[in-house]
Amino acid sequence: MKKLVFLTGAGMSAESGISTFRDSGGLWEQYPVEAVASIQGYERDPELVQKFYNERRQQLGSVTPNEGHKLVASLEDKFKVSVITQNVDDLHERAGSQHIIHLHGELMKATSSRNPNDPNCIVTLPADNPVIHMGDKAKDGSQLRPFIVWFGESVPMIEPAIEEVSRADILVVIGTSLNVYPAAGLLNFANSRCKIYLIDPNPVPYDPSLGIHHIMKGASKGMEELCQLLVNEG
């Protein structure tokens, strides 16, 4: 079976009703990025940051995977599929995808404020009450914080993601502006034989020498077209 790797961003989940950050009306217009998505912001006002992510979890509980998520999962019947996502939601999991790398963390998990990447301190929050309160403690005694990779923090899953991309026969990029590094640099690790598809309704800057096939549609309609193109690739 051919190895099919997806790199997904905010546009993948937008059709499910998840607010994006960078688009007009997005979350960055409501919250300054440095206030809720940086370690400095957390140290300055942890209560605001906890409130922001508690609200994001409550929103996540009210949405469901869209057709695009489901079509990604369905291709596991024909390909060895891996999903690398910049999204912190769990919609790929809920759609049935089995092999997922979360580059920027996972919204439904909490971790230590002292050592956020210590696996002994990472816990999954209960789906019926996914709230972190001030005073909730991690195993190491520090305040629980969102298991999110904030600006200025290292991206520990980037090396496994590079490995996946380097072995891909087909790479599909969905709903990401390719502006956020190090994720945007992953395309540079695709091997010379790898076919690259981009699904995004908007123009996206990329190196024309990569020979990218751009499907200018949203996630669900774009995935429908991609599945037709991949009929003879399995």
Side-chain angles (χ1 to χ4, degrees), residues 20-231:
T20 62
F21 281 92
R22 286 178 170 73
D23 291 341
S24 176
L27 290 170
W28 285 160
E29 293 182 8
Q30 302 169 48
Y31 295 89
V33 58
E34 65 276 4
V36 296
S38 72
I39 189 63
Q40 293 82 8
Y42 178 67
E43 290 170 348
R44 188 164 50 245
D45 193 345
E47 290 191 44
L48 172 68
V49 176
Q50 300 284 19
K51 177 177 180 288
F52 175 80
Y53 289 97
N54 286 337
E55 289 173 353
R56 304 283 74 72
R57 286 186 214 98
Q58 288 163 353
Q59 180 200 22
L60 182 57
S62 69
V63 302
T64 57
N66 60 54
E67 191 63 21
H69 291 109
K70 295 172 185 175
L71 288 172
V72 168
S74 74
L75 288 170
E76 293 190 9
D77 290 339
K78 289 188 66 179
F79 298 90
K80 291 168 62 178
V81 177
S82 294
V83 178
I84 303 165
T85 186
Q86 296 169 269
N87 300 335
V88 297
D89 62 60
D90 61 355
L91 296 180
H92 279 299
E93 285 90 342
R94 285 157 58 186
S97 289
Q98 299 296 310
H99 307 286
I100 304 165
I101 294 174
H102 282 274
L103 288 177
H104 296 158
E106 298 178 62
L107 187 57
M108 292 302 291
K109 293 183 178 180
T111 190
S112 158
S113 289
R114 188 177 303 132
N115 299 297
N117 296 313
D118 181 352
N120 294 316
C121 292
I122 299 168
V123 295
T124 299
L125 297 166
D128 60 346
N129 187 31
V131 175
I132 302 175
H133 301 94
M134 295 306 295
D136 291 347
K137 296 290 195 266
K139 188 174 280 189
D140 64 3
S142 69
Q143 168 67 44
L144 276 177
R145 58 159 267 189
F147 182 53
I148 303 292
V149 177
W150 288 322
F151 288 102
E153 295 188 302
S154 63
V155 183
M157 296 308 293
I158 195 66
E159 291 298 330
I162 288 171
E163 177 66 20
E164 289 296 299
V165 170
S166 69
R167 296 190 289 116
D169 297 299
I170 304 165
L171 175 63
V172 183
V173 181
I174 307 177
T176 172
S177 62
L178 296 177
N179 284 327
V180 178
Y181 286 83
L186 285 171
L187 270 68
N188 297 325
F189 294 93
N191 66 68
S192 60
R193 302 176 306 282
C194 181
K195 291 186 178 180
I196 304 177
Y197 295 88
L198 169 66
I199 297 174
D200 197 294
N202 304 308
V204 176
Y206 54 80
D207 183 350
S209 70
L210 293 172
I212 293 175
H213 182 128
H214 189 174
I215 299 171
M216 295 191 74
K217 296 180 179 179
S220 293
K221 292 296 184 184
M223 276 302 301
E224 289 177 7
E225 182 171 329
L226 178 75
C227 287
Q228 293 298 316
L229 292 170
L230 295 182
V231 166

